[in-house]
Amino acid sequence: MNAFLLASLLAMTSSLVWPSLLSLPLLYVSCVALAALLWKRKLWAAGFIFGLCWIGVHGIYYQSWGLAIQQKTANSSILGKVLAVDNNQYWQKITVEIDLVNAKHSIAWWKPKLILYSALKKPATSLQVGQVIHGTAKLKPAYANVNPAGFNYARWLLSKNIVGRGSLLDFQVIDASSEWREPALQLMAEKLKAYQHGGEILALMVGDKRLLSQSRISLYQRSGLGHLFVLSGLHLGIAAFWSWLLFRGFCRGVKLRSESLPLLLSLLSCLLYCWLANWPLSMMRAWLMYACLLLFFLLGERRRPVSALLVSAFIIMLLWPFSLYNNGFWLSYIAVSVVLLCLWWGSRSKWQSLLVIQFALGLVMLPVQVMMFGVVPSFALVLNLVAVPLFSSLLVPLTLLLGMLSFSPWFEALAGIVDSLFSLLYGAIVYFESKQTLSFSSPALLSGLLLLMPSFILALLVLPKAVSRVFLLASLLLPSMLGLSHSTQSWQVYVLDVGQGLAVVVMHQGEALIYDTGPRYRSGFNHAQATLLPLLANLSVKRVRDIVISHGDNDHAGARLVLEQAFPEAEHHYGRDPRLPSSGCSGAEQWGRLSLSYYMAELGDGNNGSCVLLIDDGQYRLLLSGDIEAKAEQQLLEQGLGKVSFLLSPHHGSASSSSKAFVEALQAEVVIHSSGAFNRFNFPADEVLARYADSQQFITGRDGAIRLNIDERAYQVHLERYRAASPWYQQIISW
């Protein structure tokens, strides 16, 4: 049986890197082969084919919803249940589990979800969790920006079964009975507002972050402790340990000799914790793992924890097949595996084992976070070694106890103690962040080193001492050798996928030039922190040389302040715009082998006052054009602007730009349109695409981030969405 389970899980996990899904005919043939292999009891092969078919069927079903939403040009009729509500000053962000979209019904045991935004005109229009609504929405399929670094939003959408996003135009509440949890949460939130770290307490208690500011969330994420404030298997494991310890002490106190009763009561306590947290999927998966381990223990299978892990993982994949696309699933399983290994190989002393477990969790979770989330500061190792035991031994148990004492006279005293502990942790994070000198980045590189580490250790143990020393020296010099092989004459251009906006990074000699920043939204989300900074860290940028802001529109300059604070030494260049500092867009300068020339039309502010940048290496020329329109284009041509190799189309491909004279004068070989997928302006316009018919054309919303690799001999264009290793869930957009 283990062979079947392991092969199925390996096949399902392989879907993380599938370039495409299995076709329906191939799925049919695979199902027939599966039946034959089961008949012949070929468990390895049968398990592998079952895993392929299981993920393949669900992937096709998921894609069918996206295509159905995309093909509907008019507004859509929806029916569904409100699962989550995130209130803002201006709107509500609502997650809806859908029963019906237009004429398409969902399957009872596999209901997709929508993320909808509703204008919050007055309190009476506010929706609550648990209500069933029927309404009209303007929908887009669940696409995601695709960039070389940063959060993998496409995979997150898939892991949550989210098939579409849009605006909720109007609605009618069919079932007005909201869940019991929301009034209780509001009452608890009011009580915790009086405390400096009430947001952290509420997040740990019930998984609700309404009191946790975006700045603090960002701080915890930057410090590598973000996972501690998301209820997951780690928190359930802490609750399981302390409840087991409590019930075991109680059983011994009443002289009841039973090993299984404290474990069963602990399992029920964890189920109560899941209920209190509103059944988060991450905790439910961990609870299933705990239940399977307990079942194997009660059946006498004490020496087979791996079997219990395989069974629980298989059940999770059957119930929630896209769990493997969720980072929380891997975090939970790695944490549980660490605990099992420590118990298997550790000391017989319970307290020594507990210390070993806490140390191992703090040590192991750091590289895992780097692989999954990108940049993690070096001091996060120290903080994890301290914070994980602090959460395990004090903060989580005290927070749960605080929840149980919500209406007792001891609430305020205990809340003050917990708040003080969080103050100490917060102060330590702020202090270390100010002293930070090093960050771990490049998840792909770190992942490769972690995979090679066992080989290094084995080679050092097996090979003769002299040979092993040479082997170790070569491995240490390999990164330097790779770096030396890179041409110092080459340069790279990254036109990032930032939706309906613009952000460009030019790399040369280890330094960067940034042209525009992408938008910033009312929620606080901005592409400087989400896209630009992770990319710069991933590229190991030595210095940001210049920050050029074409003009003041949000889609170009929304994250300007974030970048300027991050790189105060950079030289600034601005277009003519009252929303920006005084203009600095003129003249020319040299950057290695690159010549930088700045242009600006004399036609007022805003679009036609955009700072235009021409980069020339003597053979290839790149023009970054901002949002200039036809009149500004003509004036720049009169200033001597001529033929270019690469062009960023003006104003995202708007028909008011890219005039015929401009297109014919520049004769660009490659034209890149920075336009968001399914944008409401329908950029790039059809007539603009026709004008550039003689050029190679790329669109960020369709192709993802676009990278140009340019050297003295040739250039190459790389499309992030359709690179060779791009997984299937990033390619679901049909243009």
Side-chain angles (χ1 to χ4, degrees):
M1 181 57 72
N2 278 2
F4 180 87
L5 297 178
L6 182 58
S8 296
L9 293 172
L10 288 174
M12 294 178 191
T13 304
S14 70
S15 67
L16 287 167
V17 294
W18 289 358
S20 62
L21 290 172
L22 302 178
S23 63
L24 285 175
L26 188 55
L27 275 175
Y28 175 77
V29 172
S30 299
C31 290
V32 173
L34 173 62
L37 290 168
L38 287 173
W39 178 263
K40 295 291 186 180
R41 298 190 62 81
K42 303 292 185 181
L43 295 183
W44 264 102
F48 196 82
I49 291 179
F50 174 82
L52 297 179
C53 293
W54 188 249
I55 293 296
V57 167
H58 285 83
I60 290 173
Y61 181 64
Y62 177 85
Q63 283 190 338
S64 71
W65 276 96
L67 291 173
I69 290 172
Q70 182 178 339
Q71 291 167 0
K72 178 73 172 179
T73 56
N75 295 335
S76 298
S77 173
I78 65 166
L79 175 66
K81 180 180 179 181
V82 177
L83 294 182
V85 175
D86 182 12
N87 290 312
N88 184 279
Q89 182 181 358
Y90 309 98
W91 38 256
Q92 283 190 313
K93 179 182 176 183
I94 307 157
T95 303
V96 179
E97 185 180 64
I98 53 178
D99 296 302
L100 178 70
V101 173
N102 299 320
K104 188 175 179 64
H105 291 265
S106 63
I107 299 174
W109 61 87
W110 200 103
K111 292 187 177 182
K113 301 179 182 69
L114 297 173
I115 293 179
L116 302 174
Y117 292 86
S118 174
L120 198 59
K121 299 176 183 178
K122 53 184 179 179
T125 64
S126 176
L127 287 169
Q128 294 186 358
V129 174
Q131 293 177 333
V132 177
I133 62 171
H134 179 268
T136 303
K138 185 176 181 61
L139 298 178
K140 298 178 182 179
Y143 67 91
N145 301 329
V146 180
N147 290 292
F151 181 66
N152 193 328
Y153 190 51
R155 195 169 77 182
W156 182 87
L157 289 170
L158 178 61
S159 72
K160 300 294 184 182
N161 292 337
I162 294 170
V163 297
R165 298 182 295 171
S167 302
L168 184 61
L169 304 178
D170 60 74
F171 63 89
Q172 178 183 2
V173 178
I174 304 298
D175 183 357
S177 58
S178 61
E179 295 184 355
W180 62 270
R181 188 171 178 266
E182 184 59 28
L185 277 179
Q186 291 178 356
L187 183 61
M188 180 59 71
E190 287 298 323
K191 297 183 73 170
L192 291 174
K193 276 183 180 179
Y195 298 93
Q196 184 180 2
H197 297 280
E200 287 88 337
I201 296 173
L202 189 64
L204 274 191
M205 188 183 295
V206 292
D208 191 284
K209 296 184 179 179
R210 68 182 66 188
L211 298 181
L212 203 56
S213 66
Q214 186 62 44
S215 61
R216 288 203 177 178
I217 292 174
S218 299
L219 176 66
Y220 291 130
Q221 289 174 342
R222 293 196 305 270
S223 65
L225 300 181
H227 66 288
L228 295 176
F229 292 93
V230 180
L231 292 185
S232 64
L234 177 62
H235 301 79
L236 196 79
I238 295 169
F241 172 77
W242 283 102
S243 58
W244 166 76
L245 205 61
L246 178 65
F247 289 124
R248 192 187 66 159
F250 174 78
C251 289
R252 289 186 176 181
V254 299
K255 298 182 179 179
L256 179 62
R257 297 183 178 276
S258 173
E259 290 187 15
S260 57
L261 183 60
L263 289 170
L264 288 171
L265 291 174
S266 173
L267 184 64
L268 291 175
S269 299
C270 290
L271 192 62
L272 179 64
Y273 191 14
C274 293
W275 173 71
L276 185 66
N278 201 30
W279 310 107
L281 186 56
S282 57
M283 293 182 71
M284 287 303 300
R285 290 191 297 250
W287 187 85
L288 269 176
M289 294 172 63
Y290 186 23
C292 288
L293 287 168
L294 179 57
L295 177 63
F296 272 64
F297 176 82
L298 295 176
L299 293 175
E301 299 286 347
R302 301 188 186 187
R303 293 185 175 275
R304 301 182 65 187
V306 173
S307 298
L309 284 175
L310 288 176
V311 170
S312 61
F314 186 75
I315 294 173
I316 289 170
M317 291 300 104
L318 291 181
L319 296 176
W320 305 291
F322 292 146
S323 290
L324 59 91
Y325 295 90
N326 190 292
N327 289 332
F329 169 76
W330 297 102
L331 289 172
S332 296
Y333 257 80
I334 291 170
V336 171
S337 300
V338 167
V339 172
L340 286 175
L341 290 174
C342 290
L343 292 174
W344 186 264
W345 289 320
S347 169
R348 293 186 178 181
S349 167
K350 292 182 175 59
W351 293 109
Q352 287 182 3
S353 296
L354 179 62
L355 290 174
V356 170
I357 289 171
Q358 300 301 333
F359 180 82
L361 283 173
L363 189 64
V364 171
M365 298 312 288
L366 176 67
V368 172
Q369 285 185 86
V370 176
M371 286 188 288
M372 292 183 176
F373 305 118
V375 180
V376 175
S378 55
F379 67 82
L381 175 60
V382 178
L383 284 177
N384 268 267
L385 292 177
V386 175
V388 172
L390 179 63
F391 272 71
S392 303
S393 57
L394 288 175
L395 289 175
V396 173
L398 288 178
T399 301
L400 293 177
L401 181 61
L402 185 65
M404 291 186 285
L405 300 177
S406 299
F407 302 100
S408 72
W410 299 289
F411 176 84
E412 291 186 4
L414 184 57
I417 294 173
V418 177
D419 190 61
S420 299
L421 291 172
F422 272 115
S423 295
L424 292 173
L425 178 64
Y426 184 78
I429 294 172
V430 172
Y431 173 79
F432 277 111
E433 188 180 42
S434 66
K435 305 296 182 182
Q436 178 183 349
T437 57
L438 176 67
S439 290
F440 300 111
S441 61
S442 188
L445 176 61
L446 182 61
S447 302
L449 290 176
L450 289 174
L451 291 173
L452 289 173
M453 198 177 296
S455 302
F456 291 162
I457 295 172
L458 183 62
L460 294 175
L461 292 175
V462 174
L463 296 175
K465 186 176 292 187
V467 178
S468 65
R469 287 176 179 172
V470 174
F471 179 81
L472 180 60
L473 180 62
S475 66
L476 292 174
L477 291 176
L478 182 60
S480 302
M481 294 165 63
L482 292 174
L484 289 174
S485 65
H486 187 70
S487 173
T488 58
Q489 297 301 309
S490 65
W491 53 296
Q492 297 81 40
V493 181
Y494 295 82
V495 182
L496 299 174
D497 184 8
V498 294
Q500 190 57 32
L502 176 63
V504 181
V505 174
V506 181
M507 286 289 300
H508 183 48
Q509 296 180 336
E511 298 180 338
L513 177 148
I514 300 173
Y515 185 91
D516 284 345
T517 70
R520 182 184 187 276
Y521 301 98
R522 286 176 174 176
S523 63
F525 176 88
N526 65 83
H527 279 283
Q529 292 176 328
T531 307
L532 283 164
L533 294 180
L535 175 64
L536 295 173
N538 216 29
L539 295 173
S540 301
V541 172
K542 299 176 184 176
R543 181 173 74 100
V544 172
R545 184 181 188 278
D546 298 278
I547 297 176
V548 184
I549 306 298
S550 64
H551 63 298
D553 286 354
N554 179 62
D555 58 330
H556 293 255
R560 172 178 69 87
L561 294 179
V562 176
L563 280 182
E564 290 178 354
Q565 290 171 5
F567 306 106
E569 76 285 353
E571 185 176 343
H572 301 151
H573 305 268
Y574 303 106
R576 189 185 306 106
D577 197 302
R579 296 164 292 185
L580 297 174
S582 58
S583 172
C585 180
S586 61
E589 54 189 46
Q590 199 69 24
W591 177 21
R593 67 187 293 258
L594 304 182
S595 299
L596 309 180
S597 302
Y598 295 92
Y599 295 84
M600 187 165 58
E602 298 296 331
L603 288 173
D605 304 331
N607 287 355
N608 281 330
S610 292
C611 182
V612 176
L613 174 60
L614 177 68
I615 303 177
D616 188 346
D617 70 354
Q619 181 173 356
Y620 296 106
R621 288 157 54 95
L622 164 70
L623 184 66
L624 304 176
S625 56
D627 273 359
I628 58 172
E629 298 174 342
K631 290 184 179 180
E633 292 173 352
Q634 182 60 38
Q635 194 173 110
L636 294 182
L637 291 178
E638 292 171 358
Q639 293 180 18
L641 195 63
K643 184 177 179 181
V644 300
S645 310
F646 316 108
L647 171 66
L648 191 69
S649 68
H651 203 181
H652 317 284
S654 166
S656 63
S657 305
S658 298
S659 60
K660 183 178 179 181
F662 186 76
V663 172
E664 291 178 349
L666 267 60
Q667 300 180 34
E669 295 180 41
V670 174
V671 177
I672 299 173
H673 308 282
S674 182
S675 305
F678 311 108
N679 67 82
R680 60 192 176 96
F681 307 104
N682 294 318
F683 291 163
D686 291 338
E687 54 264 48
V688 171
L689 294 174
R691 291 173 200 162
Y692 288 114
D694 294 335
S695 305
Q696 295 184 67
Q697 298 186 63
F698 304 98
I699 307 170
T700 55
R702 179 190 66 192
D703 303 318
I706 297 162
R707 183 176 88 249
L708 299 173
N709 282 351
I710 308 165
D711 60 28
E712 58 272 17
R713 297 182 300 276
Y715 69 87
Q716 294 177 316
V717 182
H718 300 271
L719 310 180
E720 188 66 23
R721 192 182 297 276
Y722 298 106
R723 57 188 171 84
S726 183
W728 65 272
Y729 53 83
Q730 288 185 351
Q731 304 178 29
I732 61 175
I733 293 179
S734 58
W735 195 259

